[in-house]
Amino acid sequence: MSGELPSRAGADARLRHIDALRALAALLVVWRHVGDAYVGFGIGMGGRWLATVASSIDVGRTGVVTFFLISGYVIPFSIHPERRAALGTFLIKRFFRIYPAYWLSIPLGAFATCWLWGRPFGLREFIVNLTLLQDFFGVTAAEGLYWTLLVEWAFYLLCVVLLLCGSLGRPRHLLAVSIAFTLAYSIEMLVRWWNGTTLMGSPAAFTLLNLSLMLVGTLYRTVIDDARSDDRIVQAGLHGLLLWHLVALPAGAVYAIGWEYNATIPYALGLLLFIAGTRFVRIRSALTDWLGRISYSIYLFHPVVFMVMLWLLLRLPAGSVLRVQHLGVYIVANMAITVVLATLVYRWVERPGMELGRRVARAWSRYRERAAAMPTAGVTGGVLGPEHDFRPRHGTDPLR
């Protein structure tokens, strides 16, 4: 889960408080997963309340929702429609940002979650996982968290469609799409709560909810943080969406199905965390800078660490000192080892992959410039004129 940030001069070029939010979101996911996996394996283990708290409010999903909102906050600003081959360079950079570390996680994840435990994961599963389309083919994922990367790609493609339609730079259009997605999800949930039937199914409904919240992140930055829009309709609509996700939807869900297994609660908490971290408590420190930078690898590789460690611990005698520690010890130990592994992956895979993506994107841009300069039959003047350029004419800011 990651996103490029807008180019800015100075020390805050990466929006350091956003890196702090990334770091916190990644560690929340680790807390939830390690707590669930380790809570029952040690006799007399202390600190079981850590797993109970993580499970009852689903801090893992809270972290994922925060990641989605961050993507909405930064991804549309990384598209530069004023430049030649804007969409191609954007998608190339996104590809090299996501896939290199993801590909490395597949064999490591398969080893940690399947092969060590005697679960099947063959060549077919491996090949399909390389495409990130395993959910569409009903194939086992090397790691259960891969579905979030597919949501990320859905948002990238949504941004492309919005730009091609001339809507990415128009807050009212973004608001309308976000409201439509939220309405579709809400109707799906209301029908399900009312009579137990479904209109589109949970995966589709939650995908629309996630995309809606990503656009909320975009609008939040445009309207509130950067104050780029003084449109009162957009301001009112955004605040209405915030109230819907923070208050109305969770309250209705609690009334209909209660607190337990209620996904609207962690969604509201994720939104609250995002608002707090962007508006009220902007954390900036060297530690959170680094953890935010490697947060994608923390997210991808923490299952490798905690599943391998769990497998090793289960092979010790039940009374072994390593099996009766406080649950917090296992959570912190897994976080520490994961950070070390994530640092190595970032250094040797993520960062080189991003640099390669930038080089490929520059090459693609130069190719498009040369192609545009070549005489083209049937076009007045012998070259591609401005009427063939899809880019908006209202300046360099795609979210003005």
Side-chain angles (χ1 to χ4, degrees):
M1 314 282 288
S2 60
E4 289 184 353
L5 297 151
S7 297
R8 294 192 177 190
D12 284 341
R14 281 186 58 87
L15 295 176
R16 296 175 66 197
H17 61 290
I18 296 298
D19 274 337
L21 271 178
R22 283 195 183 96
L24 183 55
L27 295 179
L28 286 174
V29 175
V30 178
W31 173 17
R32 172 64 198 275
H33 289 164
V34 175
D36 283 352
Y38 284 63
V39 68
F41 89 97
I43 299 174
M45 174 187 290
R48 295 178 187 271
W49 62 270
L50 287 168
T52 301
V53 170
S55 176
S56 61
I57 62 176
D58 199 346
V59 296
R61 189 180 291 268
T62 298
V64 168
V65 171
T66 304
F67 270 129
F68 286 154
L69 285 158
I70 290 170
S71 287
Y73 191 89
V74 300
I75 289 298
F77 292 85
S78 70
I79 304 176
H80 302 283
E82 77 282 0
R83 299 177 184 175
R84 177 73 63 181
L87 293 184
T89 55
F90 167 71
L91 291 174
I92 288 169
K93 289 180 179 180
R94 288 293 90 204
F95 179 89
F96 283 95
R97 181 68 185 92
I98 296 295
Y99 273 95
Y102 167 70
W103 282 332
L104 177 62
S105 77
I106 295 172
L108 296 182
F111 172 78
T113 67
C114 296
W115 298 334
L116 266 184
W117 305 87
R119 299 168 186 158
F121 190 91
L123 181 60
R124 176 174 178 267
E125 286 78 11
F126 187 88
I127 293 174
V128 174
N129 270 251
L130 292 176
T131 68
L132 194 53
L133 298 176
Q134 54 273 3
D135 289 347
F136 289 101
F137 293 99
V139 171
T140 301
E143 295 181 9
L145 52 77
Y146 288 163
W147 68 272
T148 60
L149 303 185
L150 200 58
V151 174
E152 283 282 320
W153 269 106
F155 184 64
Y156 302 160
L157 296 179
L158 175 62
C159 288
V160 168
V161 171
L162 289 171
L163 182 59
L164 291 175
C165 294
S167 296
L168 189 62
R170 300 181 179 180
R172 286 195 183 187
H173 291 196
L174 301 181
L175 176 66
V177 175
S178 184
I179 290 174
F181 287 170
T182 297
L183 183 62
Y185 167 80
S186 301
I187 291 174
E188 167 74 13
M189 292 299 104
L190 287 172
V191 170
R192 182 173 303 185
W193 298 335
W194 180 260
N195 59 21
T197 60
T198 179
L199 299 176
M200 68 181 79
S202 291
F206 275 98
T207 296
L208 292 179
L209 174 62
N210 293 327
L211 293 175
S212 171
L213 282 172
M214 289 166 138
L215 290 174
V216 166
T218 305
L219 290 165
Y220 187 90
R221 179 173 179 179
T222 305
V223 174
I224 297 177
D225 269 12
D226 289 352
R228 293 168 181 251
S229 174
D230 57 0
D231 188 326
R232 293 189 177 182
I233 292 178
V234 175
Q235 293 173 350
L238 174 60
H239 284 91
L241 276 172
L242 293 175
L243 287 174
W244 182 258
H245 287 292
L246 288 172
V247 180
L249 194 57
V254 169
Y255 176 79
I257 63 175
W259 291 90
E260 192 172 7
Y261 303 115
N262 189 330
T264 63
I265 305 302
Y267 270 85
L269 291 175
L271 181 53
L272 275 176
L273 177 60
F274 171 79
I275 293 172
T278 56
R279 191 67 178 169
F280 301 109
V281 186
R282 292 192 168 192
I283 300 172
R284 297 179 178 92
S285 70
L287 176 61
T288 53
D289 289 348
W290 179 249
L291 291 176
R293 193 169 289 113
I294 66 172
S295 60
Y296 179 47
S297 285
I298 291 175
Y299 183 77
L300 271 183
F301 292 94
H302 78 274
V304 176
V305 173
F306 83 76
M307 290 298 288
V308 171
M309 184 182 291
L310 181 63
W311 185 87
L312 293 172
L313 289 171
L314 287 174
R315 270 134 190 87
L316 298 175
S320 169
V321 66
L322 293 178
R323 289 190 58 171
V324 294
Q325 296 299 311
H326 192 281
L327 181 57
V329 172
Y330 299 112
I331 294 173
V332 171
N334 273 277
M335 286 181 177
I337 297 172
T338 298
V339 167
V340 173
L341 177 59
T343 299
L344 295 174
V345 173
Y346 178 82
R347 171 66 179 83
W348 297 106
V349 179
E350 273 196 76
R351 194 164 63 185
M354 288 186 285
E355 179 56 35
L356 177 60
R358 285 189 285 268
R359 291 200 298 269
V360 173
R362 286 195 294 267
W364 172 252
S365 180
R366 288 193 296 268
Y367 166 78
R368 294 287 294 155
E369 289 176 359
R370 289 195 299 269
M374 293 176 61
T376 303
V379 178
T380 303
V383 297
L384 293 177
E387 69 275 15
H388 294 271
D389 191 344
F390 67 84
R391 296 174 297 174
R393 301 289 183 249
H394 49 63
T396 62
D397 186 354
L399 291 173
R400 196 175 76 178

